[in-house]
Amino acid sequence: MSLEDLKKELEEIVEPSSVHTRDYDRNGCLLEIRAERSRLLSIAQAARDAGFFLEFITAVDFTEGPIAVYQFNECNAVSRIQVKVQLARGESLPSIGRVYDAALWYEREVFDLFGIRFDNHPDLRRLLLPEDADFHPLLKEYGKVHAFRSAREIYVDQDA
Amino acid sequence: MSTRTPETVTEHTFYLNLGPQHPSTHGVLRLFVKLDGEYVMEVDPIIGYGHRGHEKMAESHFYEQFLPNTPRMDYLSGMLFNHAYVAAVEKMTGIKPPPRAEYIRVVCAELNRVASHLMWLGAYLMDLGGVTPFFYAFDDRENILDILDRVSGSRLTYNYCRFGGVARDVDDTFIGATRDFIKRLRGRWKDYNNLVTKNVIFIHRTRDVGVIDKDIALRFGCTGPVLRAAGVPYDVRRVEPYSVYSELDFEIPTGVNGDALDRYMIRLREMEQSLRIIEQALDRLPGGPIRTPTPNKVRPPKGDYYFAAESARGALGYYIVSDGSEYPYRLKVRVPSYGNLQTLTEVLPGTLVADTICILGSIDIVVPEIDR
Amino acid sequence: MAVKKIAPGPRVHLAVLEEVLNLCRANSLWPMTFGLACCAIEMMATGASRFDLDRFGAAVFRPSPRQSDLMIVAGTISKKMAPTIVTLWEQMPAPKWCMAMGNCAISGGPFEFEGQYAIVPGADLLVPVDVYVPGCPPRPEGLIQGFLSLEDKITKGEKRNVIRRFKKRAGRNR
Amino acid sequence: MNAAWHYLVGTLGPDLARIILGLVGILVLVQLNAVFLVWLERKVAGHIQARLGPMEVGPHGILQTIVDGIKLVSKELITPRHVDRKLFVLAPIVVFLPAMVGLVVIPFSRHLQVRDLNVGLLLIFAFSSFNVLAILMGGWAANNKYSLMGAIRSVAQNVAYEIPLLLTVVSVLLWSDSLRMSSIVNSQAQVWNVVWMPVAALIFMICATAETNRAPFDIPEAESELVGGFHTEYSGMRFALFFLAEYSNIFIEAAVATTLFFGGWRGPLLPGVVWFFLKTYALIFVVMWVRWTFPRLRFDQLMNFCWKILIPAALIHLVVYAGILELVK
């Protein structure tokens, strides 16, 4: 199942306009998908069937709300896909722990550092910080950071 | 999966903390293990004891100021992390380092990979109870540390790469010492094989122990020797060649059934491949400058970038979101041991306590790398 | 936490006996295997063949705190790890010393920045530290010098550390 | 020396004098031997691992063990609150006693033997099983999960390895027809037992290593798995007693092996005592050499190795050897 087949399959799940091909030399990934949070589980299932593995899940905090970034890759060829989900402040995400076991810890870490809750995650507790910590450090309001921008300022070329 | 449903406790199971301070948890990892006698029923690795907040630090420091952090994440393959970070920023900003710098970086990175594997060999044998190989492995590793110390100034946390090249040039004594070291280490394979590989107790302790097959590796996102032991030849240097790896030829050793013995054999063969890479790189070392002039504060254009590299433990990646200023907006490090450690929750139930330590040692984790 | 009944100090204080005991304590410091981060690798390298700690009788790395009399805090102390360090310190039997190895254990080192939420800046906030070994990570020679200065501290002065200067080699122990 | 001996015999009578001198001799021997063995082990380990071992404390670190001992004496004895106090305090004492008693019957030379009992060998093995009892007491009393696991492992291991040990000893007794140690040594006048029974000697050495919890059988105090094994909770002099008992047990096992298989104090030129100590320390060196080269066996492999390989081998050896003896006698 090479990248093209997966791309066609993803275009059925998510409307084609939000699937952008990115130039590998500049951005390091071939395909970028701006998905809705409801589509996430089906995208993960499609990637899993195509034999991709989950590289990481993380989030980036913006003024409108965090963007969750999922990245999948294949073992035998360069075919890196990034899935970005724009969340409102305090919105939760469906957990893809059923599809990828690796997601369990990544989601716990994102919850720990960003405060994004994952519903029907079997064991959502803090991963890195001590259990009794009451703050989410990687949010931009916490501590001293250089800048707190909106997503549109950074993702200039696509419609954010 | 590590579900924590409190079911009725049968009388002979008890919880044991292979706690943060344990001789063979390679740092401060805590395995919360539920034991039935000697057999492990369920394991819940609790991490975070080595968390130092690297990613939060990146958001309030320049790109240059984050350089010393990179080797302190995985201090056993510090040069590899340093090289990957610098290559990532160079790709973002479009700076082209001179070919001599690229070759020097590859030589130092591969030397550091051999040092990391030697350190693993010593620590792993100590976990299995054999103390002497630790001292021989460290003896060889000290030679590498001398070579890298001569050129980068530090033994473990190398801050040697700069954006656009390397900090100091390499002289003949460095090249001579590296060639002598390669000859010496090649002579030592015989000792290691006699002492460890042909040791019947070692074979019995590691064959068919902690089998991680393709499916588990795919589900948990394992990379590096753990994945290659399952038979998948995935090595970022071969699949996505960066720096000058495309011009060097080397094989990717893979295993068959993914047990601890395969992971051991793979790491030995990988050391041999690294020596081959170093030799080729030294033969082709071009002259010329070692650094292209770069502005004091690098300002990569807006957008997000991902750069993948191969560290001693697997596929390492830097995901950097830049807002055009000299501070990274967000810097996420994709760390190989993260996925490798998670397989414990799947592989450990049903094994003996002695096997738990053996499997934990064979997947070769470094705790501050996982906790970042 | 098991509150330990602190026995009153020795009623009889024999200077000579105390000196002999200190001399023996200085020359057989058993450290506890307790590495947190990068400095742990340098501690192992000090125990390995080239910079052999065993020459000073100090390379018996005891795994359990009950049998060790020197705690080397080698690496970054995260807030999650702090209570464990204090428990380990209390589990160690009486004449015990602590060596803060590396900048992280001395003052938070390279990870001390404004807005740092995860680490304890310095081991002396948790346990009484006797010797500070600076470096990031300190070289094995630095750690051995830390050991020697701790030995001199235990025997209260270089001249009284008689055993180790058994051999009068010129130009040593300046 | 002679005058002092006669004065002692005069006042106390020959038998009592011999006992007192013997016991004093044993106490001195056990202490000196333990001190020497600990130093030897650290030096042998050092040189095997391409380093020097203790060097600073005295020439070549000879005083190192004495310094360690004095330091341990002056350490605080922690008795944690949740511990079973009586057993916790008793365990180190009980572990050290059998180490002394075993030396009573060992013939160091023709007439240098404290008491030549006619059940000498039986006494040694009877008391050497005390060791297991003490480890179990220590591990159980410490109320610590690691020491409990260490103690249970050591019971299973010692019980398992006692059987092949005794089976090989029986085949020696067939030749010497008596448990008396001196008669065993006399029976090897012409040829040492090891020449006759190399397999028995090998099995005996393996089981002796397992009996004294030495690597590759050091499962009870497996440092990399069970933190400190059964002596995790012990500090100060109590830990030192466990430490010294281990080395005394090694000395006894090696001494018994020399008497049974290597002809005790028999040797061509040198006096008996020198030969005896030479052979014993050679065996101890082999045990140390084995310790620093092999990784540790897993617990179930250890058990399978004993029950499925050693015991059948010892039994077969006994039957075969009894047959040969029948033809020879």
Side-chain angles (χ1 to χ4, degrees), chain B residues 203-277:
Chain B
I203 291 172
H204 279 292
R205 276 297 296 275
T206 48
R207 177 178 290 135
D208 299 336
V209 164
V211 177
I212 297 181
D213 54 17
K214 276 197 189 55
D215 173 49
I216 296 179
L218 184 79
R219 285 209 329 262
F220 282 98
C222 314
T223 50
V226 176
L227 179 64
R228 290 194 280 274
V232 177
Y234 175 64
D235 185 326
V236 179
R237 293 174 297 177
R238 181 51 51 90
V239 170
E240 306 170 48
Y242 56 99
S243 178
V244 286
Y245 280 109
S246 44
E247 289 143 24
L248 306 165
D249 82 348
F250 54 96
E251 293 118 29
I252 309 294
T254 56
V256 176
N257 43 29
D259 58 2
L261 191 61
D262 270 355
R263 289 191 278 274
Y264 165 80
M265 296 308 292
I266 280 177
R267 290 198 176 94
L268 276 198
R269 276 187 249 126
E270 258 182 25
M271 278 199 259
E272 181 51 38
Q273 293 307 318
S274 295
L275 293 184
R276 273 183 62 200
I277 293 174

Side-chain angles (χ1 to χ4, degrees), chain D residues 204-233:
Chain D
F204 184 88
M205 279 320 289
I206 293 174
C207 296
T209 326
E211 200 68 31
T212 53
N213 299 337
R214 294 278 299 177
F217 305 98
D218 64 346
I219 309 280
E221 34 107 8
E223 247 145 42
S224 67
E225 290 144 27
L226 302 178
V227 183
F230 56 88
H231 46 65
T232 315
E233 289 292 337

Side-chain angles (χ1 to χ4, degrees), chain B residues 73-103:
Chain B
M73 271 187 260
D74 177 356
Y75 37 82
L76 286 179
S77 41
M79 186 67 86
L80 297 152
F81 269 64
N82 207 325
H83 178 191
Y85 175 69
V86 161
V89 173
E90 275 160 10
K91 194 170 99 172
M92 280 159 65
T93 51
I95 302 169
K96 274 301 293 163
R100 181 175 174 84
E102 287 287 4
Y103 275 93

Side-chain angles (χ1 to χ4, degrees), chain D:
Chain D
M1 242 311 266
N2 238 333
W5 168 255
H6 287 305
Y7 168 72
L8 208 60
V9 164
T11 51
L12 297 170
D15 206 17
L16 199 52
R18 172 184 270 279
I19 288 176
I20 287 174
L21 209 60
L23 289 183
V24 165
I26 286 177
L27 274 176
V28 165
L29 175 70
V30 164
Q31 296 305 336
L32 274 186
N33 157 53
V35 163
F36 173 67
L37 276 189
V38 171
W39 176 76
L40 182 69
E41 166 112 64
R42 282 175 76 165
K43 287 303 259 189
V44 160
H47 288 293
I48 285 182
Q49 291 157 0
R51 57 185 173 87
L52 290 179
M55 288 294 284
E56 293 294 331
V57 187
H60 283 287
I62 291 177
L63 309 176
Q64 182 59 52
T65 326
I66 297 162
V67 165
D68 282 348
I70 296 172
K71 180 210 82 171
L72 280 172
V73 161
S74 67
K75 287 288 279 187
E76 171 201 4
L77 290 179
I78 292 182
T79 314
R81 214 149 47 97
H82 54 276
V83 113
D84 180 341
R85 188 170 301 283
K86 283 187 288 302
L87 282 183
F88 189 77
V89 168
L90 209 58
I93 302 162
V94 168
V95 88
F96 203 69
L97 283 186
M100 310 252 189
V101 172
L103 289 171
V104 165
V105 284
I106 289 181
F108 293 97
S109 83
R110 186 181 308 282
H111 35 69
L112 198 60
Q113 191 179 10
V114 179
R115 172 68 68 187
D116 192 2
L117 300 175
N118 51 18
V119 279
L121 204 56
L122 198 62
L123 180 107
I124 291 179
F125 287 120
F127 272 95
S128 84
S129 62
F130 254 85
N131 192 0
V132 181
L133 181 69
I135 291 175
L136 186 60
M137 273 162 61
W140 169 261
N143 202 346
N144 167 336
K145 288 176 183 153
Y146 287 122
S147 27
L148 182 67
M149 283 169 73
I152 293 168
R153 282 183 176 188
S154 99
V155 167
Q157 174 181 329
N158 280 13
V159 160
Y161 277 87
E162 198 99 358
I163 303 163
L165 190 80
L166 298 181
L167 284 175
T168 48
V169 162
V170 165
S171 45
V172 168
L173 297 183
L174 287 179
W175 175 248
S176 72
D177 302 339
S178 104
L179 282 167
R180 190 183 291 276
M181 298 291 269
S182 49
S183 66
I184 293 174
V185 171
N186 297 343
S187 72
Q188 297 169 38
Q190 295 81 15
V191 68
W192 291 352
N193 278 351
V194 79
V195 172
W196 275 80
M197 305 177 266
V199 176
L202 183 67
I203 293 177
F204 184 88
M205 279 320 289
I206 293 174
C207 296
T209 326
E211 200 68 31
T212 53
N213 299 337
R214 294 278 299 177
F217 305 98
D218 64 346
I219 309 280
E221 34 107 8
E223 247 145 42
S224 67
E225 290 144 27
L226 302 178
V227 183
F230 56 88
H231 46 65
T232 315
E233 289 292 337
Y234 281 93
S235 62
M237 203 49 204
R238 291 187 185 129
F239 166 70
L241 279 181
F242 272 111
F243 211 59
L244 297 186
E246 185 191 335
Y247 283 104
S248 316
N249 283 340
I250 298 167
F251 180 76
I252 288 181
E253 298 288 342
V256 167
T258 353
T259 350
L260 289 183
F261 292 102
F262 294 92
W265 41 265
R266 288 191 172 285
L269 298 157
L270 305 168
V273 179
V274 173
W275 266 116
F276 180 83
F277 276 102
L278 215 62
K279 292 178 196 167
T280 312
Y281 281 116
L283 276 177
I284 290 176
F285 177 76
V286 168
V287 166
M288 284 182 190
W289 187 8
V290 161
R291 170 181 183 164
W292 296 106
T293 45
F294 284 103
R296 184 180 303 119
L297 271 172
R298 205 178 45 203
F299 187 53
D300 54 342
Q301 289 166 347
L302 180 103
M303 286 296 132
N304 295 344
F305 178 61
C306 174
W307 292 104
K308 291 180 183 147
I309 299 169
L310 278 190
I311 293 182
L315 279 173
I316 293 163
H317 180 272
L318 182 60
V319 167
V320 162
Y321 190 74
I324 297 171
L325 217 61
E326 225 25 68
L327 307 176
V328 165
K329 277 239 170 80

